[in-house]
Amino acid sequence: MSEQIIDLRSVWAILRRHTRGLAVAAVVGAAAGGAALTMVAPEYTSSTLMVFQATPTGTPPPANAHAIDTQVQIALSDAVLAKAGQALQKPLSATQVADRVVVESPTDEVLTITARGETPAQAEQLATAVADADIAYLQTTASGLTNDERSALEDRKTALTESLSAVRGELTKTNNRLRSEVPNSAAAKTDAATLSQLTARQADLVLQVDALERQLTGQSTSTEAAAVPQLVGTASPAQSQPAVVRGALYVGLGAAVALLAYAALVVLRGRREKVLRSRDQIADSIGVTVVASVQSRTPRSVAGWVSLLRGYSPGSSDAWALHQIVQRFGSDAPLGSGAGGAVGPPSAARRTVGRRADDRRTRQLLVLSLAGDQPALALGPQLASFAAATGKQTRLVTTSQRDESTNSLRAACARVGGHEQLRAGLTVDSQHDGTVQAELEVHPVTVSRQDPARDLPRLEGVVTLLAVSSGGATAEDLARVALAADAAGVPLVGLVVTNPDPLDRTTGRLQPAERAVLAPLPSLMTGATDHGDPTVPTATGRKR
């Protein structure tokens, strides 16, 4: 259960990082749905109602009577739908009719056939055609006749109907003659006798035709009539959905589909990405602890860098984090004596800084960042401006800046000129000058990701910090920088995470072995145990 909670939290963290993309995807999907609405013609629906006659009380049900669910399946069968499709002005196949027709049974004696069409006339015509085809099919099955027998009966009925028409014609002629003849005359008596014979013949033919019709329709008895439904009225007037409902449906569906598709894409890519986002991930990758987390303010122009150096004013949280860095690494106090506890394994760096304290009081901080990691680049200038604001004489040195991403920073420092104070206690320079005294020198250096050794300056007695933003580097990138820094004699003593993930609840201050002995903390929302890194579905809590 805890692994599922962590997994869901990681998905939420990935989606939180792409809120703008999700919003854009939803807008694009809604626009696509609106465009589809204008291209798709509205559909109309019409319904017909069929009623099965109830079996009289005390009368056994007919042998061919079926349950209402069976009647629904019969109405949806290919035999009925194919015949209905052929009866339309534009014939349709059984499959096409099935896609446009819905048959329901609100009660045990009623069938409702609802048909869809592109025009009101098509919808009404299709609903009527399906109902007629269903009635015809049930009548055929109720009669119990084979196709040959039915054909013979149809031929017999046709012949009888023609004979009946001829007899009715003779009756009309005889009646006309009788009106013009003299009563009691021989001709009148002959026509009267003929009229009687024709009347008897007409009655006999009518009875024979009725008998054939009963055989053909299968309704020779009242019980058999209950198996065949009757159409109630005509098809209802066709109607379509209101424009507002259709618009909301298309727009909402388009937005939902686009949103889900984009969310699935970003989650899949987020799970496969190699960049490190949480503090514990960053710290564990090279075994160096995170000493602070700071929000970065990365200018995009020369004027922006000048403004940052002159008036940088962090919030309370960032001010405390920068204060810890200055107190721990930029003062005469021994490393690890400041607030926040020990700083991990940099014993060599402690000896170096100790020797530097004996030589002169200037403290040098080398702040490394990776090429392309703009939020991390701003840490050095922010740190120098903050230290000067606290009353410490600070010097910002932009030595060894080769990456193009630092052009605007170097241009800002060149505009100010050497030794000119941007704010009280802060000077900037483009080269290291050992004759200029300051309490703290900050050297922001951007190194290549593939070959960081070429960009590392040769400085003595410096404390090296690596600034990396959340999602700004992979474990391979950090490992190459750590190796190059150690080989150059400026080993890393700590990591500073810029722009940390808002959902990251880790600190990066404890090694994995130290975290393993800590009891897991309860989750704020669920009450379940939180095993550390919210962006990686792995548990590091103590086993129970």
Side-chain angles (χ1 to χ4, degrees):
M1 181 64 181
S2 60
E3 292 183 358
Q4 294 177 357
I5 294 173
I6 294 174
D7 189 65
L8 291 176
R9 190 182 298 133
S10 67
V11 172
W12 174 242
I14 294 172
L15 295 178
R16 277 282 300 270
R17 293 194 293 268
H18 297 83
T19 52
R20 292 184 179 179
L22 291 171
V24 171
V27 172
V28 171
L37 176 64
T38 61
M39 299 173 61
V40 177
E43 287 187 337
Y44 294 86
T45 59
S46 178
S47 300
T48 54
L49 191 66
M50 296 193 305
V51 178
F52 290 86
Q53 297 181 8
T55 304
T57 305
T59 304
N64 56 354
H66 301 288
I68 194 65
D69 293 338
T70 305
Q71 297 292 348
V72 171
Q73 297 302 319
I74 292 174
L76 292 173
S77 64
D78 289 345
V80 173
L81 299 181
K83 186 175 182 180
Q86 295 303 314
L88 301 175
Q89 293 180 353
K90 295 182 179 180
L92 300 174
S93 64
T95 303
Q96 292 174 322
V97 175
D99 292 338
R100 303 184 181 188
V101 171
V102 176
V103 180
E104 298 175 324
S105 56
T107 67
D108 291 341
E109 290 82 23
V110 175
L111 280 185
T112 301
I113 299 176
T114 303
R116 295 181 290 109
E118 297 178 356
T119 63
Q122 289 181 359
E124 296 174 7
Q125 184 183 15
L126 181 57
T128 302
V130 173
D132 292 341
D134 185 39
I135 293 174
Y137 177 82
L138 292 176
Q139 288 176 345
T140 301
T141 56
S143 66
L145 299 174
T146 64
N147 291 335
D148 292 339
E149 293 173 341
R150 176 170 291 277
S151 179
L153 290 176
E154 290 286 354
D155 293 341
R156 175 63 176 164
K157 179 183 175 182
T158 301
L160 291 175
T161 302
E162 293 176 353
S163 298
L164 181 59
S165 298
V167 169
R168 288 174 176 171
E170 291 298 326
L171 281 172
T172 303
K173 294 178 182 179
T174 304
N175 282 324
N176 292 335
R177 287 198 305 268
L178 279 174
R179 293 191 185 95
S180 62
E181 294 174 347
V182 178
N184 296 325
S185 65
K189 292 180 180 179
T190 301
D191 287 338
T194 302
L195 183 62
S196 299
Q197 293 175 359
L198 290 174
T199 302
R201 180 59 179 169
Q202 178 183 357
D204 182 58
L205 290 174
V206 169
L207 291 176
Q208 293 184 53
V209 171
D210 290 342
L212 288 175
E213 287 182 349
R214 286 195 298 270
Q215 292 182 43
L216 289 172
T217 59
Q219 296 181 359
S220 57
T221 64
S222 60
T223 56
E224 291 176 352
V228 179
Q230 293 182 352
L231 186 61
V232 179
T234 60
S236 64
Q239 296 180 347
S240 64
Q241 287 183 330
V244 175
V245 176
R246 293 181 65 246
L249 180 63
Y250 275 79
V251 171
L253 184 61
V257 170
L259 190 63
L260 291 177
Y262 185 79
L265 177 62
V266 298
V267 169
L268 181 61
R269 293 181 59 184
R271 291 296 187 87
R272 299 177 63 180
E273 68 180 3
K274 296 182 179 180
V275 295
L276 308 176
R277 296 194 178 275
S278 72
R279 298 177 184 88
D280 277 356
Q281 284 181 316
I282 296 172
D284 293 348
S285 64
I286 55 176
V288 179
T289 57
V290 175
V291 297
S293 298
V294 180
Q295 290 294 329
S296 174
R297 300 181 184 179
T298 308
R300 298 184 178 181
S301 63
V302 175
W305 282 109
V306 173
S307 176
L308 182 145
L309 293 172
R310 285 177 174 172
Y312 174 64
S313 178
S316 299
S317 178
D318 290 343
W320 175 244
L322 295 174
H323 174 75
Q324 287 183 303
I325 295 176
V326 172
Q327 288 297 107
R328 189 180 302 178
F329 305 110
S331 65
D332 293 337
L335 280 173
S337 63
V343 183
S347 57
R350 296 183 185 182
R351 291 193 297 270
T352 301
V353 175
R355 290 195 301 269
R356 188 65 180 172
D358 295 335
D359 296 337
R360 61 177 184 174
R361 49 192 299 268
T362 300
R363 291 289 179 266
Q364 298 185 77
L365 284 181
L366 177 60
V367 182
L368 303 180
S369 60
L370 293 170
D373 192 355
Q374 290 297 102
L377 172 64
L379 177 65
Q382 287 181 194
L383 181 62
S385 183
F386 172 79
T390 60
K392 187 179 291 292
Q393 292 295 324
T394 307
R395 185 164 175 255
L396 179 67
V397 182
T398 57
T399 308
S400 303
Q401 295 291 340
R402 302 178 183 177
D403 190 76
E404 294 182 358
S405 61
T406 63
N407 288 342
S408 57
L409 173 60
R410 286 182 292 169
C413 295
R415 173 183 295 183
V416 174
H419 314 323
E420 179 182 346
Q421 289 193 351
L422 290 170
R423 65 188 306 173
L426 176 63
T427 58
V428 297
D429 203 347
S430 59
Q431 61 182 355
H432 177 63
D433 186 358
T435 62
V436 179
Q437 295 297 318
E439 296 180 68
L440 177 65
E441 279 188 2
V442 180
H443 300 260
V445 176
T446 299
V447 297
S448 168
R449 293 175 183 264
Q450 299 301 323
D451 187 15
R454 72 176 186 182
D455 300 323
L456 287 174
R458 298 296 176 176
L459 299 175
E460 295 183 358
V462 298
V463 176
T464 307
L465 300 177
L466 175 58
V468 56
S469 62
S470 176
T474 65
E476 290 291 328
D477 295 335
L478 299 183
R480 281 192 286 267
V481 174
L483 286 172
D486 193 69
V490 286
L492 303 179
V493 300
L495 296 168
V496 179
V497 177
T498 58
N499 294 347
D501 192 327
L503 296 181
D504 180 17
R505 301 171 64 184
T506 64
T507 63
R509 297 179 183 272
L510 300 177
Q511 297 298 321
E514 296 173 319
R515 293 198 301 271
V517 300
L518 297 177
L521 298 175
S523 172
L524 179 62
M525 295 180 62
T526 63
T529 56
D530 179 6
H531 296 278
D533 186 3
T535 62
V536 180
T538 56
T540 58
R542 181 174 58 191
K543 295 182 179 180
R544 300 185 179 182

